[in-house]
Amino acid sequence: MDVQVSFTLNGKTVSAAASSATLLVDLLRNRFGLTGTHVGCDTSQCGACVVHVDGASVKSCTMLAAQVDGCAVDTIEGLSGDGELHPLQQAFHEHHALQCGFCTPGMIMSAADLLKRNPRPSELEVRDWLEGNMCRCTGYHNIVKAVRAAAGAMGEEGS
């Protein structure tokens, strides 16, 4: 059975028909071409598919598309603005916080939610928050450094 889903996607109102069993990650990738949201495990273990729904980070591989009807959804593609990298994206680049890059969009989206809630997280708080995001390449050290650097940069911008 198809359902009509209307929501705000990266600031723009969109709608689509989808099967009632369509996952949000599949709608984003296949219908809207937003392939920055990655499918890693399909079991909510890796975090590669993290997006924001109404401002909170969620794993889109375990959320039905129909559940976002009337919501605001933000993906990694909507994080930056005016051709400038978001401070998290810039910090990941500067601190070599990625290798293969597969986990990076989910890490950044999770970290953006953390920094919205806690603009000055400790190293332990960053590590705890990102526990649901797996990276098989980096060892996490530079990811944590990047998140904390971005927190500092974002704090300076807000001053």
Side-chain angles (χ1 to χ4, degrees):
M1 163 193 260
D2 278 358
V3 294
Q4 189 68 25
V5 183
S6 297
F7 58 101
T8 304
L9 179 57
N10 295 330
K12 296 179 181 170
T13 303
V14 298
S15 63
S19 159
S20 59
T22 299
L23 295 173
L24 177 56
V25 68
D26 293 326
L27 185 72
L28 294 172
R29 290 179 61 82
N30 301 331
R31 171 62 171 83
F32 295 105
L34 299 174
T35 57
T37 303
H38 294 159
V39 179
C41 66
D42 285 328
T43 61
S44 188
Q45 300 299 310
C46 75
C49 67
V50 172
V51 299
H52 294 173
V53 176
D54 289 339
S57 54
V58 300
K59 293 181 177 176
S60 62
C61 75
T62 56
M63 183 174 218
L64 295 172
Q67 290 177 276
V68 300
D69 191 48
C71 296
V73 177
D74 294 297
T75 68
I76 190 73
E77 291 90 348
L79 195 60
S80 61
D82 299 325
E84 298 289 322
L85 292 176
H86 184 276
L88 273 165
Q89 293 169 314
Q90 187 64 40
F92 266 63
H93 171 71
E94 290 173 2
H95 292 274
H96 311 287
L98 57 97
Q99 286 182 22
C100 81
F102 192 81
C103 71
T104 305
M107 286 278 186
I108 289 175
M109 294 304 287
S110 291
D113 189 11
L114 167 63
L115 296 181
K116 181 179 64 178
R117 297 166 190 260
N118 180 357
R120 297 276 187 214
S122 68
E123 179 179 339
L124 181 60
E125 289 169 324
V126 173
R127 288 182 184 279
D128 283 346
W129 187 269
L130 295 178
E131 184 178 7
N133 294 77
M134 291 177 55
C135 176
R136 292 184 170 102
C137 301
T138 66
Y140 301 94
H141 181 71
N142 287 351
I143 292 170
V144 174
K145 281 179 28 180
V147 173
R148 296 197 68 219
M154 291 166 72
E156 292 169 10
E157 288 175 4
S159 300

